[in-house]
Amino acid sequence: QVQLVESGGGSVQAGGSLRLSCAASGYTVRPYCMAWFRQAPGNQRERVASISSIGVTYYAPFVKGRFTISEDNAKNTLYLQMNSLNSGDTAMYYCAAVRATSCAGTYNYWGRGTQVTVSS
């Protein structure tokens, strides 16, 4: 059973940066896709960025150029570096994983989330 634990959230002023981490465990073969999602109150959960096991990345248009997804396979840890944060980035951020050939589909492993709050 894949387990995902996020950390690194917090409160930051607009223009600031945060780095989220996701410690993954419970598998011997890395899930094909790992991703960061976010959900703000009243909004649907949306995929922010994802990375496949061969390093193909995806970024949502609203974070492109500001956020960077990366991973340290030796530490089984996924990261999301977030720069130039604005109030629209305020949300609960979730780490997710799936064993699938497409990173655009449904994810079946989820962490509990870490809150990011950006004040203007």
Side-chain angles (χ1 to χ4, degrees):
Q1 182 76 4
V2 177
Q3 295 181 329
L4 306 169
V5 179
E6 303 94 337
S7 62
S11 296
V12 64
Q13 290 191 329
S17 299
L18 282 174
R19 188 177 80 156
L20 305 184
S21 300
C22 171
S25 62
Y27 58 85
T28 53
V29 177
R30 180 199 182 280
Y32 183 79
C33 295
M34 297 193 72
W36 289 98
F37 286 74
R38 72 184 188 186
Q39 187 170 21
N43 291 356
Q44 290 188 332
R45 190 174 295 187
E46 56 189 358
R47 182 168 53 131
V48 173
S50 60
I51 184 167
S52 75
S53 59
I54 58 173
V56 177
T57 58
Y58 161 85
Y59 293 96
F62 51 80
V63 302
K64 214 165 187 178
R66 301 189 297 126
F67 292 10
T68 303
I69 190 170
S70 63
E71 59 185 344
D72 184 333
N73 289 327
K75 296 181 179 179
N76 289 344
T77 301
L78 182 73
Y79 301 100
L80 184 68
Q81 178 67 43
M82 306 186 295
N83 299 328
S84 301
L85 287 162
N86 59 61
S87 57
D89 296 317
T90 295
M92 184 71 80
Y93 283 72
Y94 298 91
C95 178
V98 64
R99 299 187 187 280
T101 56
S102 170
C103 294
T106 301
Y107 285 68
N108 51 359
Y109 300 107
W110 293 88
R112 293 189 175 184
T114 185
Q115 177 68 37
V116 172
T117 302
V118 184
S119 58
S120 55

